[in-house]
Amino acid sequence: MNFDPEPDLHPLYPTVAQISNLIASQSGLDPAQKEELVKHCLKRASLFGDLALAQYLLSDSTAQTYVDLSIKDEDGAGLVSLTIHGFGGDLDRDIEREECVRFLVAQGADLSPDQAGWSPLHHAALFAPPTLVSYLMTHGCSPFEVTQRNLTPLDIITAHSILPGRDDVALLLEEAMRGEGWTGGRVEQKRRLHDRLTKRKGKQRAIRDDVSKVLGLNPRWCDGDDSGSDSDSDCDDDIGETVFTPPADYGSMLVFNPIALPQIFDTLITNYPISLKDLTPANTLYLLARFACLTCDHTWLEDLIIGAADTIEDAFFNNADDMTSLIFWLHNISIWLHLMQSDNAMSEPCEMLGSFELIEEVINSVFVFIIRFAERRIDQLLDSCILDYAPQGSESETVQFESEWSFLRPFVKKRAPSSLSLGTPPGHRNNLLSVDPATPRPSTGTRTHPSPSAMKFSPLKQTIARAHAISTGTPIKPAFSESSAKASPYELTSFLTALQTLLVFADINPLFTTQLWSQVFYWTSCEIFNRVITRKKYLCRSRAVQINANLSVIDEWAHELHIPAGVLSHFSPVKDLLSWLQCLSSITDFADLVSVIQSFKALNPLQMRRAVRDYRYEVNERRMTEENVQYITQLHKDWERQRVKLGVEALRKEISERDRERDDSSSMLGGSVNGDDRASVLSATSVETTTNRQSIDLLMDKSQEAVIWEPPKPPQVLGELLDSRYMLPLLFPSDPEYLAALPSKSFLETGDASQPQSAIISPAPSIRGSMDMGKPGPFQWRSRHRKIREIGVGVLQWVDGAHSASRWSRPIDHTFGAEEEHEERHPDHDDVDQEENEEGDDHEGAEANFEDPDVTLKITTALTPYTRKPSIRRARPSLGDVTPIETSFNGKP
């Protein structure tokens, strides 16, 4: 019996001497034991990166007999992968380990993946230096090999962000893959999409912060709206009729009790939390109205629509200064009108009851509130930004007029140089902030007073001489500099851009946005015109040139933000007046005067005469000839006679229309209507309405250019001043699908990321000329009908209350229902009424509907026979005095 210990075939740290003794012929080991020893030592050499041991095993003639380079561990990892796992411990050992990997690959080691699909290149991408990664790619490892989870070596280190310290390896793998035609893998595309969305959200959040600052809004107005997924290409194409008119079942309506309407309005409208893109009120009111229209009589529908309209008016009347509340309700009311008009089952009854006219009146009311908000802000900036602004060194700064006394001209205060403000174009220096270091600053700690002997008056001659000396020498800086920076036209466009951005973020219909700018620009034009013609300091050539240049900034702003050019036509009177002021003193020939007057279509002789009478002539400026002055005076007299004639005709027409409306109203209420008279009235009204709707539909035609659209024109001006309080009519499209149009966000997406956010809110002046704006394209808008109709079970909390609505999100206890059904169908109750059996069948059908979501509960709807007789019920008159709003459904008082 041999008691010698068996040799260790699995040494922890094998050495060359130990292995040579064990595999020698006199060691007493059989070939199987020697093979097991060599395999184990080769794995240990790979694991420790022992290059000397690996070279011995692969070069010794005795050991070569038992070497197998395809061996793997229990996880399927080969010798090369095992060697790569040890990188990162010691820098000196890593150099030897890399040489060991190269040696194994050169000897033909297996490079196949392990059980998880990881190839040696996958492991090298995580641990090895770039030099070894490059070596493996040139010796049999492909960068396109994927694991069982379909991940390439590049995906391993660039999942959502590049692993720290692996930037060089990622770049190396990307270049190698691109050299073979790779354009980006799945994970790479996801990572880039994630980065793009993150940057987009950050950019939008920065823009929203600037909007809040410029408009004075609560910074939380955009909370809950960080999706950032809206894009101009995300539109609905193939829309079926069932999208606009759902099937007549309870799944497309909300049942309510008229007694609970005040509570519903209180939770759904009065106390509803404002979130700009939330359309829950619009969808809820639509589903409620659908139930009242399809299953109830007209009184239920009238109670709902009139009550909702009154409550909504109270909501935004009580928050007239809250811009987010006004925009929120404008969006929801317009979508509510779109949903009802698009539903073929509801459109005719609601039109007969005058419901659509009532909702349009509410839209008009909130529209006026938004316009008044814009007018108040523009009114604060109009004088400083448009009328009084002049850049440093302009001609208007040094101009002198004949009306000034010559010895008082040196006392005219020179304008301080303008400083940079929000929206100041790049390249302008703020001279007020640049201080010469050599210039001594006055001491502000103590105040020095002149001595009594020095306080005496100087002679008038000496004062005038001193003034001349000061005017010819270096001007003395004012003792008190202006505390606030001087405004510029770009501060006005900053507000306009912020308001436009807010409307776009809130998904306000571009039809309403365009008409809003049309009304705002009309008001702005009237105010500028009236202030110029009534203030003599603006009635001169130099000021007219500067004001015209300031107005060009608004023109460029409208073109940059793709506002239809038709809204700028309201500035025609102002531009004609400014052109008249610039050229009236240079007209000497009578024929030239006649041609110039005929070219000014937006000015009447009364306005021209007022400008000539109060015109301020500059020094050495040529005066208008007496003949030309007499001709303008004669035109003035002729226009006065024509003005009286037109005024009398307009008054007679207004009186006749009032009498005709009164007679028509009394005849309709009395039941006897003259068919011819009523037909003529209705035809005239329908023709005017159709014409207006066609004009606004033309704007939505994507085959036409937006430049051909013209807004409604105000009435002809007979006096000197323009009527800035006149409200242009708010037009609604004839196609109800246009009411769901969403604005384009292209002007927000094309901004340069390198520019500061203030440049986005306040566009810098374009390098192109004011007349070189490129060819205008069609009006930009998009439609997403399915998205605006998305609604969940959470809407029930606004109708039934949170406690009642919570049961719809809990699983149904079918056992309890089965017990009730068993009690109802007990054999002792065989003589149950047929009516009770029908109720039981209905209950059973309802439970089946809850159990199987694919089952739809169908109901037989009987439409209430509506008549064209006007409803005797009236909505309360609209509050406020912003605009006259009719209170009846059919336009009768």
Side-chain angles (χ1 to χ4, degrees):
M1 181 177 294
N2 187 6
F3 293 98
D4 295 335
E6 293 186 0
D8 185 9
L9 301 180
H10 300 86
L12 185 61
Y13 299 104
T15 61
V16 175
Q18 183 181 6
I19 297 174
S20 62
N21 293 331
L22 292 176
I23 64 176
S25 57
Q26 65 274 14
S27 63
L29 297 179
D30 56 17
Q33 290 177 328
K34 293 180 180 180
E35 182 179 0
E36 182 180 357
L37 173 64
V38 171
K39 288 182 178 180
H40 171 75
C41 293
L42 189 58
K43 288 182 182 179
R44 300 301 290 180
S46 300
L47 185 62
F48 292 118
D50 193 343
L51 179 60
L53 182 59
Q55 289 177 345
Y56 168 76
L57 294 174
L58 294 175
S59 60
D60 184 75
S61 58
T62 306
Q64 283 182 350
T65 308
Y66 309 105
V67 170
D68 183 9
L69 293 177
S70 62
I71 59 176
K72 297 183 179 181
D73 64 357
E74 60 275 7
D75 295 326
L79 297 176
V80 176
S81 298
L82 290 176
T83 309
I84 294 174
H85 287 170
F87 277 102
D90 187 4
L91 181 60
D92 296 335
R93 296 291 299 171
D94 286 348
I95 297 176
E96 182 181 356
R97 186 178 295 274
E98 181 177 352
E99 293 298 327
C100 185
V101 173
R102 293 173 182 267
F103 176 73
L104 291 174
V105 173
Q107 293 298 322
D110 187 15
L111 299 177
S112 61
D114 56 16
Q115 297 177 0
W118 283 55
S119 68
L121 189 60
H122 286 85
H123 299 285
L126 277 175
F127 304 110
T131 54
L132 184 58
V133 173
S134 177
Y135 177 82
L136 291 176
M137 286 191 295
T138 57
H139 287 77
C141 292
S142 173
F144 294 98
E145 291 182 346
V146 295
T147 64
Q148 292 183 354
R149 296 190 177 184
N150 201 26
L151 298 175
T152 65
L154 181 62
D155 297 335
I156 296 296
I157 59 176
T158 60
H160 294 288
S161 61
I162 300 178
L163 290 179
R166 310 307 293 173
D167 298 334
D168 296 339
V169 176
L171 180 61
L172 185 63
L173 291 172
E174 284 185 0
E175 294 300 326
M177 297 173 71
R178 294 185 191 279
E180 300 184 20
W182 177 77
T183 57
R186 178 176 56 87
V187 177
E188 173 69 13
Q189 293 176 355
K190 286 185 177 180
R191 183 178 63 85
R192 292 180 178 178
L193 179 60
H194 179 268
D195 294 342
R196 187 162 56 250
L197 291 178
T198 302
K199 293 180 180 179
R200 183 179 180 182
K201 290 181 180 180
K203 178 181 178 181
Q204 290 184 354
R205 194 172 296 110
I207 294 177
R208 291 169 179 175
D209 293 341
D210 288 343
V211 170
S212 303
K213 181 179 179 181
V214 174
L215 297 181
L217 303 179
N218 188 341
R220 301 179 61 86
W221 66 269
C222 56
D223 287 355
D225 182 28
D226 290 332
S227 59
S229 59
D230 294 343
S231 62
D232 292 351
S233 60
D234 189 9
C235 299
D236 293 336
D237 295 328
D238 299 331
I239 303 298
E241 185 61 29
T242 56
V243 175
F244 301 105
T245 307
D249 54 47
Y250 284 118
S252 61
M253 60 182 69
L254 287 176
V255 181
F256 70 95
N257 189 337
I259 301 177
L261 281 180
Q263 180 182 358
I264 294 175
F265 294 154
D266 183 67
T267 57
L268 185 63
I269 300 175
T270 305
N271 298 319
Y272 190 82
I274 300 297
S275 181
L276 287 185
K277 290 188 178 182
D278 187 6
L279 295 175
T280 300
N283 283 282
T284 305
L285 292 175
Y286 163 66
L287 297 179
L288 293 172
R290 185 173 171 83
F291 167 74
C293 181
L294 298 182
T295 63
C296 309
D297 59 3
H298 67 279
T299 57
W300 286 50
L301 185 59
E302 284 185 322
D303 285 339
L304 174 66
I305 295 179
I306 295 177
D310 292 346
T311 310
I312 291 174
E313 279 196 343
D314 290 337
F316 64 76
F317 267 91
N318 294 332
N319 298 277
D321 296 330
D322 187 358
M323 193 63 177
T324 56
S325 176
L326 297 177
I327 292 180
F328 171 79
W329 287 115
L330 176 62
H331 189 200
N332 273 270
I333 302 170
S334 59
I335 295 300
W336 182 28
L337 180 62
H338 157 72
L339 296 174
M340 296 182 64
Q341 287 185 345
S342 301
D343 194 335
N344 295 331
M346 298 180 58
S347 58
E348 185 176 358
C350 291
E351 187 174 359
M352 291 181 180
L353 293 175
S355 302
F356 295 154
E357 288 80 359
L358 178 61
I359 298 176
E360 289 178 357
E361 291 171 2
V362 179
I363 294 176
N364 185 67
S365 298
V366 67
F367 184 77
V368 171
F369 272 95
I370 299 176
I371 291 174
R372 294 293 180 252
F373 173 84
E375 290 175 355
R376 289 194 299 269
R377 293 294 301 271
I378 295 176
D379 182 65
Q380 300 173 1
L381 302 172
L382 207 55
D383 287 345
S384 58
C385 296
I386 300 297
L387 298 178
D388 296 332
Y389 173 77
Q392 183 181 7
S394 63
E395 180 184 356
S396 59
E397 296 289 335
T398 58
V399 68
Q400 296 179 349
F401 300 95
E402 291 185 352
S403 59
E404 298 175 353
W405 290 358
S406 59
F407 72 92
L408 292 180
R409 289 173 190 160
F411 295 98
V412 177
K413 180 181 179 181
K414 302 295 181 181
R415 294 182 180 270
S418 59
S419 60
L420 285 176
S421 59
L422 181 61
T424 302
H428 284 213
R429 294 183 66 250
N430 189 353
N431 295 327
L432 287 180
L433 299 180
S434 60
V435 181
D436 187 1
T439 303
R441 297 184 179 182
S443 175
T444 58
T446 59
R447 179 178 301 178
T448 59
H449 299 275
S451 60
S453 60
M455 297 177 59
K456 60 182 180 179
F457 295 99
S458 300
L460 180 60
K461 184 177 180 180
Q462 183 179 356
T463 302
I464 296 175
R466 187 184 303 114
H468 278 287
I470 293 176
S471 62
T472 57
T474 303
I476 298 178
K477 295 183 179 180
F480 301 97
S481 60
E482 296 178 359
S483 58
S484 60
K486 186 178 180 181
S488 70
Y490 297 99
E491 187 172 348
L492 176 59
T493 57
S494 172
F495 166 75
L496 300 181
T497 309
L499 182 56
Q500 173 71 5
T501 305
L502 178 61
L503 296 174
V504 170
F505 272 126
D507 285 344
I508 297 299
N509 195 310
L511 287 176
F512 297 147
T513 303
T514 302
Q515 296 184 77
L516 182 142
W517 291 124
S518 177
Q519 178 64 47
V520 169
F521 285 167
Y522 168 74
W523 178 89
T524 305
S525 173
C526 293
E527 286 295 318
I528 295 176
F529 185 94
N530 295 339
R531 297 181 189 187
V532 170
I533 204 171
T534 56
R535 300 177 184 177
K536 290 186 178 181
K537 67 176 182 177
Y538 301 131
L539 295 177
C540 60
R541 181 177 57 184
S542 58
R543 293 307 308 170
V545 172
Q546 186 58 53
I547 294 174
N548 195 17
N550 296 339
L551 284 177
S552 65
V553 176
I554 299 180
D555 294 345
E556 293 182 1
W557 173 87
H559 286 287
E560 290 291 338
L561 270 68
H562 309 292
I563 306 295
V567 301
L568 298 176
S569 61
H570 295 303
F571 287 103
S572 297
V574 178
K575 294 182 178 179
D576 285 353
L577 176 60
L578 297 176
S579 299
W580 174 243
L581 293 175
Q582 295 177 50
C583 68
L584 67 85
S585 62
S586 60
I587 301 176
T588 57
D589 191 7
F590 178 75
D592 295 340
L593 176 64
V594 174
S595 63
V596 168
I597 291 178
Q598 292 177 352
S599 65
F600 294 147
K601 304 296 183 181
L603 289 182
N604 60 42
L606 196 62
Q607 297 164 344
M608 292 183 180
R609 171 57 183 167
R610 173 69 177 267
V612 172
R613 186 191 66 188
D614 297 338
Y615 185 79
R616 300 174 64 198
Y617 288 92
E618 301 173 3
V619 176
N620 299 326
E621 182 181 2
R622 183 183 303 174
R623 286 183 171 271
M624 180 177 286
T625 62
E626 188 64 27
E627 180 184 8
N628 293 343
V629 174
Q630 292 179 0
Y631 176 73
I632 296 176
T633 304
Q634 185 61 37
L635 289 179
H636 174 213
K637 294 179 181 179
D638 296 341
W639 179 260
E640 285 288 358
R641 288 191 292 267
Q642 181 70 12
R643 176 187 178 187
V644 174
K645 182 179 178 180
L646 294 176
V648 173
E649 292 179 357
L651 183 60
R652 289 177 179 176
K653 182 179 180 180
E654 182 180 356
I655 294 175
S656 62
E657 289 180 355
R658 289 180 180 178
D659 295 340
R660 184 174 57 186
E661 291 178 358
R662 188 182 302 106
D663 296 340
D664 182 69
S665 176
S666 60
S667 61
M668 291 182 66
L669 292 177
S672 61
V673 181
N674 189 340
D676 296 337
D677 294 341
R678 183 180 179 184
S680 61
V681 172
L682 294 178
S683 62
T685 305
S686 62
V687 168
E688 181 181 1
T689 304
T690 303
T691 303
N692 292 334
R693 292 184 183 272
Q694 289 177 351
S695 66
I696 201 65
D697 289 343
L698 185 63
L699 187 61
M700 304 297 289
D701 189 358
K702 293 186 177 181
S703 63
Q704 302 288 338
E705 294 182 358
V707 71
I708 65 177
W709 176 79
E710 291 291 338
K713 300 296 183 181
Q716 184 182 12
V717 179
L718 302 179
E720 292 182 350
L721 304 180
L722 303 183
D723 185 10
S724 61
R725 305 305 296 176
Y726 177 77
M727 291 295 299
L728 301 173
L730 178 61
L731 306 180
F732 293 87
S734 58
D735 189 349
E737 293 186 20
Y738 290 156
L739 286 173
L742 299 178
S744 172
K745 296 184 178 180
S746 58
F747 81 98
L748 293 176
E749 301 297 332
T750 56
D752 187 2
S754 62
Q755 294 180 354
Q757 296 299 331
S758 60
I760 300 177
I761 296 300
S762 182
S766 175
I767 59 176
R768 298 172 294 177
S770 59
M771 300 302 295
D772 183 19
M773 290 299 172
K775 184 178 180 181
F779 187 63
Q780 298 181 1
W781 61 280
R782 53 198 172 94
S783 59
R784 300 179 69 181
H785 299 287
R786 289 190 176 93
K787 182 177 181 180
I788 64 175
R789 287 167 168 80
E790 293 177 356
I791 189 171
V793 296
V795 72
L796 296 176
Q797 65 177 320
W798 309 109
V799 179
D800 300 334
H803 175 72
S804 179
S806 61
R807 61 194 175 113
W808 295 97
S809 59
R810 295 198 301 263
I812 300 175
D813 188 0
H814 299 287
T815 304
F816 179 75
E819 292 177 356
E820 288 186 346
E821 182 179 358
H822 177 72
E823 291 179 358
E824 291 180 359
R825 299 184 178 274
H826 197 273
D828 296 338
H829 298 82
D830 291 337
D831 55 346
V832 180
D833 281 345
Q834 182 68 21
E835 181 179 359
E836 294 180 1
N837 289 334
E838 292 177 356
E839 293 178 356
D841 292 339
D842 292 341
H843 179 70
E844 182 180 358
E847 290 184 349
N849 185 34
F850 285 127
E851 295 174 3
D852 187 1
D854 296 331
V855 178
T856 303
L857 181 61
K858 299 292 184 181
I859 61 173
T860 302
T861 59
L863 295 178
T864 305
Y866 294 96
T867 63
R868 293 192 178 275
K869 182 178 179 180
S871 174
I872 61 175
R873 308 179 67 220
R874 296 288 185 267
R876 63 163 176 77
S878 299
L879 303 176
D881 55 354
V882 292
T883 182
I885 299 178
E886 299 292 338
T887 58
S888 64
F889 289 149
N890 293 323
K892 302 189 301 295

